[in-house]
Amino acid sequence: MIPPTFRDRVIAPSLLAADFSRIREEVTRTIKAGADWLHLDVMDGHFVDNISFGPAVIQAVHETNDIFLDVHLMISRPDHYLPRFVAAGADLITVHVEAGHDVAETLHRIRESGCKAGLAINPATPVEAAQPYLDQIDLLLCMTVVPGFGGQPFMEEVLPKIAAAAAWREKHELHYHIEVDGGIDAVTAAKCAQAGANVMVAGSSTYRAPDMAAAVRAIREA
Ligand code: DX5
Ligand code: ZN
């Protein structure tokens, strides 16, 4: 498979919205629905006010399927836990700029481990906070909700930041993907794509849809 570029639309359903009592079937359903990546939200109850799952669950998914694993670490000290997510089979690891670590060093270690490196910024964090690292990443994640929970409404005010990140990419001839996460459906995906995002994370709007394949297709075509 040819790896996608920032000009390609990538749909990444978030497993957080799946039925945890049937994870294997849910991952199979995701692949059959035409998803490109599987987005895995790791929450520690400290960096965000929710606890989800860790490396053991990711490893179980990795062992039963070969879909690209997009691991979003909403945890403090991601540098400390990093090797466990690499060992679990992550393909891309995204860390938050706000998470209390040496960001450049962590990004370097992610790439050194053979994974793609992502950097996430919360809705309240200006794009300037990520700028020193934009030449060291494969993906910039602009959160479109305050991280912690699925099912929250999309924050329209993030759109100018996405456009600024896309403009910076062009000006500096960089190639990072721009991912959006939180409240994404066909309507909000169209706005994000217009602003310059290409990787669409979608939890509720895909897993809770009556027809997941149709929901994935609608986000792809939006
Ligand atoms: C939010 C997570 C998201 C979440 C998205 O903290 O990072 O990935 O699962 O869920 P929806 O698509 O339902 O907003
Ligand atoms: Zn996420």
Side-chain angles (χ1 to χ4, degrees):
M1 192 189 87
I2 304 159
T5 73
F6 70 84
R7 294 181 204 285
D8 303 312
R9 186 78 59 94
V10 173
I11 315 301
S14 166
L15 193 71
L16 195 64
D19 178 352
F20 283 4
S21 70
R22 325 166 39 248
I23 290 184
R24 183 198 288 254
E25 292 90 330
E26 288 289 72
V27 178
T28 304
R29 182 162 79 100
T30 312
I31 295 168
K32 284 198 179 135
D36 303 290
W37 296 357
L38 183 67
H39 185 81
L40 295 156
D41 287 304
V42 179
M43 304 179 179
D44 66 353
H46 178 79
F47 180 72
V48 292
D49 189 28
N50 194 8
I51 300 176
S52 58
F53 50 77
V57 168
I58 294 173
Q59 185 164 346
V61 170
H62 174 65
E63 281 167 3
T64 49
N65 292 281
D66 55 14
I67 189 167
F68 186 95
L69 301 182
D70 167 23
V71 175
H72 177 195
L73 296 184
M74 284 162 278
I75 63 174
S76 302
R77 293 295 314 276
D79 52 328
H80 177 74
Y81 295 97
L82 187 60
R84 303 184 209 184
F85 291 97
V86 173
D91 293 294
L92 182 153
I93 298 178
T94 297
V95 294
H96 272 260
V97 75
E98 308 91 351
H101 58 121
D102 181 332
V103 176
E105 170 70 15
T106 306
L107 293 170
H108 175 73
R109 283 177 51 209
I110 294 172
R111 282 182 155 180
E112 208 176 42
S113 72
C115 294
K116 301 282 182 212
L119 185 64
I121 49 177
N122 284 338
T125 303
V127 73
E128 287 73 24
Q131 263 162 11
Y133 315 107
L134 293 178
D135 60 347
Q136 302 156 44
I137 60 172
D138 301 293
L139 175 145
L140 177 71
L141 167 53
C142 294
M143 290 304 303
T144 44
V145 296
V146 175
F149 297 90
Q152 303 181 75
F154 175 78
M155 293 171 69
E156 199 91 27
E157 59 267 38
V158 180
L159 290 170
K161 188 160 74 179
I162 296 168
W168 180 280
R169 178 175 64 196
E170 189 172 350
K171 184 171 171 210
H172 297 271
E173 296 180 0
L174 296 169
H175 304 282
Y176 50 83
H177 295 271
I178 299 178
E179 180 175 64
V180 284
D181 182 7
I184 301 298
D185 57 19
V187 173
T188 56
K191 296 180 184 181
C192 293
Q194 182 85 39
N198 68 302
V199 182
M200 309 296 171
V201 176
S204 317
S205 73
T206 54
Y207 285 99
R208 310 267 158 94
D211 179 347
M212 190 176 188
V216 167
R217 206 177 316 120
I219 296 171
R220 194 182 299 289
E221 289 165 4

